[in-house]
Amino acid sequence: ATIIMANRNKAKTEPLMDEIKRETGNANIDFIPLDLTDLRSVKAFAQEFKIKYNHLDVLVNNAAATSMKSTPEFTPQGFEKTFGVTYIGHYYLTRLLLDTIRKTENSRVIFTSTKSATKKNLTWDNLNSEKKFDGWTAEVQGKRANLMLASELQRRLENDTTKVMSLHPGWVRSESFDSIEAPFFTKMALNCLFFAMKYFGKDTKQGSQTNLYCALQDWNKLKGAGYYSDCEEYNYPQQEDLKPENTRKLWDLTDKLIKEKLGDDAFKI
């Protein structure tokens, strides 16, 4: 299998690529730059991918951004950064690669989410933090939007051999906590939380297991639009915004917003 590492920083990614090659004996590890904060980078990634490859077995949408600042930051296209990375970037990447995914037999699209996102409906009038900004709420909104995207995408791929899944990786202690920008006392609280996670949370290897399960499990044993946690299906109440009329509404709205920023040819490669 060929693994494509999509990341902003090649220097940081190369040691991981070398480790994978060394431990697995698989030399087919490629790097294509991708910055989900900038939709132009997303399109450049998709263009390079399609030049190099003609099929895509598994797409893992795993990125997220977290901010504990009191005011929002925005992407080059004007999306609130947390929501832009967690949802908008994943939507655009998936749409640009969708034709390749659809022609690949038994392909999979995976969205890393959180159980917090299974408990709240989308706040439609504050998607881009127009009225109020809270970093944690913005991230949960993005993860919730991904659940809706997974549901809508599976509905649109009903007659294809593609399965779309979402998952909760668990309470994972990773380096992402170190990069969170926050006021002093908030950062101190986060450090205490991270300290507790050393004893009660999962390490990155444990936290990756459900992603690997969805990527490697027998295709016929996986449920389209299913939600997984600890390598098994997790059932949560189907709330109002997971109804087809609402997932379709979000799909169409996101399509419209991206075209407003990049033009009518935004989805053409």
Side-chain angles (χ1 to χ4, degrees):
T2 298
I3 300 172
I4 295 93
M5 309 289 285
N7 202 310
R8 291 177 297 173
N9 192 320
K10 186 175 183 180
K12 286 187 175 180
T13 307
E14 284 180 332
L16 180 57
M17 295 171 65
D18 292 338
E19 182 180 350
I20 294 173
K21 292 176 184 178
R22 186 171 60 252
E23 300 221 353
T24 66
N26 181 7
N28 298 319
I29 314 295
D30 192 7
F31 174 84
I32 302 178
L34 173 63
D35 181 356
L36 287 171
T37 64
D38 189 345
L39 297 184
R40 293 168 298 186
S41 172
V42 177
K43 190 166 191 177
F45 172 92
Q47 290 170 329
E48 184 172 347
F49 177 89
K50 289 186 173 186
I51 290 172
K52 291 182 173 181
Y53 304 101
N54 60 12
H55 70 285
L56 178 55
D57 298 289
V58 183
L59 173 62
V60 181
N61 290 302
N62 190 53
T66 303
S67 174
M68 294 297 171
K69 292 183 175 181
S70 57
T71 56
E73 296 179 290
F74 294 91
T75 71
Q77 285 76 41
F79 296 106
E80 187 279 314
K81 188 176 179 181
T82 303
F83 189 74
V85 171
T86 307
Y87 169 66
I88 298 291
H90 287 147
Y91 174 94
Y92 192 43
L93 177 64
T94 303
R95 283 288 308 275
L96 291 176
L97 297 176
L98 195 53
D99 57 340
T100 306
I101 293 168
R102 296 185 79 160
K103 68 183 182 183
T104 305
E105 187 175 1
N106 293 350
S107 54
R108 312 165 194 223
V109 180
I110 300 168
F111 293 94
T112 301
S113 185
T114 172
K115 283 186 179 178
S116 299
T118 68
K119 302 173 183 178
K120 295 184 178 181
N121 286 318
L122 209 63
T123 306
W124 289 94
D125 62 352
N126 197 44
L127 285 181
N128 206 39
S129 299
E130 298 93 337
K131 295 185 176 181
K132 181 182 179 181
F133 173 72
D134 174 81
W136 171 248
T137 300
E139 183 177 359
V140 172
Q141 281 256 95
K143 296 292 189 181
R144 183 66 180 181
N146 280 337
L147 291 183
M148 296 171 68
L149 171 57
S151 179
E152 178 64 17
L153 183 58
Q154 188 65 72
R155 188 182 68 80
R156 290 171 183 257
L157 298 175
E158 183 177 359
N159 298 320
D160 291 23
T161 59
T162 301
K163 287 186 178 177
V164 187
M165 294 151 284
S166 305
L167 63 90
H168 173 65
W171 203 24
V172 184
R173 52 185 188 270
S174 70
E175 293 181 358
S176 61
F177 270 83
D178 296 333
S179 62
I180 295 176
E181 296 185 21
F184 176 77
F185 290 109
T186 303
K187 190 70 173 181
M188 290 293 291
L190 288 172
N191 287 337
C192 292
L193 176 62
F194 187 69
F195 180 79
M197 288 176 69
K198 289 184 177 181
Y199 297 96
F200 301 106
K202 296 180 179 181
D203 60 30
T204 51
K205 183 177 181 179
Q206 293 167 329
S208 67
Q209 293 309 300
T210 305
N211 257 311
L212 291 172
Y213 175 86
C214 291
L216 301 174
Q217 174 63 288
D218 186 321
W219 190 87
N220 293 305
K221 293 181 179 180
L222 294 168
K223 180 182 177 181
Y227 190 90
Y228 290 84
S229 177
D230 291 325
C231 299
E232 60 183 14
E233 190 177 350
Y234 173 78
N235 295 310
Y236 63 91
Q238 295 292 311
Q239 299 187 43
E240 179 69 23
D241 60 12
L242 288 178
K243 292 180 178 180
E245 59 267 30
N246 289 320
T247 60
R248 189 182 305 114
K249 175 183 175 181
L250 180 63
W251 178 286
D252 292 341
L253 175 61
T254 311
D255 186 284
K256 177 175 177 287
L257 290 173
I258 292 175
K259 286 181 178 177
E260 286 178 353
K261 303 296 183 181
L262 300 181
D264 291 336
D265 62 348
F267 294 95
K268 297 177 182 178
I269 294 182

